[in-house]
Amino acid sequence: MSTIFSKIIKGEIPSDKVFENERILAFKDINPVAPVHLLIIPKKEIPDLQSVSSEDLSLISEMVVVAQQLAKEFGVEDGYRLITNNGVPSGQQVFHLHFHLLGGRKLGALG
Ligand code: 5GP
């Protein structure tokens, strides 16, 4: 099912883009919880990490490489967190796979 992120990919909703190629888009989170809070998403509609299939693995690898590049670009390569929420109990709100790249402050314990 399409989400607000599909509208962002199509340009129907504006976003503060920081990276884009044919397969991946990254943009600033609208409600940042850290000085650097980026969202890295595949353009392919994949609802969550649990739905990733073996054919998507190169896409996931590419998302990680994009995260590495953005961490450098935003000056947080020495300390950042790359997380994805999977499912309602984890706090997932948008059911289009995304990695949160968080940095720029001391990050607390996971919980
Ligand atoms: P989740 O809770 O699903 O892991 O994270 C969804 C994230 O998407 C949240 O951090 C939220 O602030 C962000 N978000 C939701 N709607 C929009 C939007 O329209 N634009 C942007 N840039 N971020 C959004």
Side-chain angles (χ1 to χ4, degrees):
M1 198 182 77
S2 290
T3 69
I4 194 154
F5 287 179
S6 294
K7 294 193 167 127
I8 287 175
I9 291 164
K10 288 181 199 152
E12 293 170 5
I13 290 179
S15 67
D16 199 344
K17 289 181 194 176
V18 294
F19 176 88
E20 182 166 21
N21 69 14
E22 285 177 4
R23 296 165 297 283
I24 292 169
L25 179 66
F27 49 96
K28 294 185 179 175
D29 196 292
I30 204 168
N31 187 20
V33 298
V36 176
H37 187 171
L38 308 177
L39 298 173
I40 301 162
I41 72 172
K43 289 188 175 176
K44 180 177 178 181
E45 286 185 358
I46 302 172
D48 56 23
L49 193 68
Q50 201 61 22
S51 307
V52 168
S53 67
S54 54
E55 70 182 25
D56 299 321
L57 291 181
S58 63
L59 188 56
I60 304 302
S61 304
E62 196 178 355
M63 288 168 69
V64 171
V65 172
V66 170
Q68 291 174 330
Q69 288 170 356
L70 288 170
K72 263 194 189 165
E73 200 176 307
F74 282 80
V76 298
E77 70 269 34
D78 289 340
Y80 65 91
R81 189 171 283 164
L82 191 66
I83 55 171
T84 187
N85 292 319
N86 187 95
V88 171
S90 74
Q92 186 177 5
Q93 294 176 329
V94 179
F95 288 83
H96 183 124
L97 178 65
H98 51 282
F99 289 160
H100 296 257
L101 194 164
L102 299 170
R105 68 166 169 83
K106 181 147 176 41
L107 298 165
L110 290 175

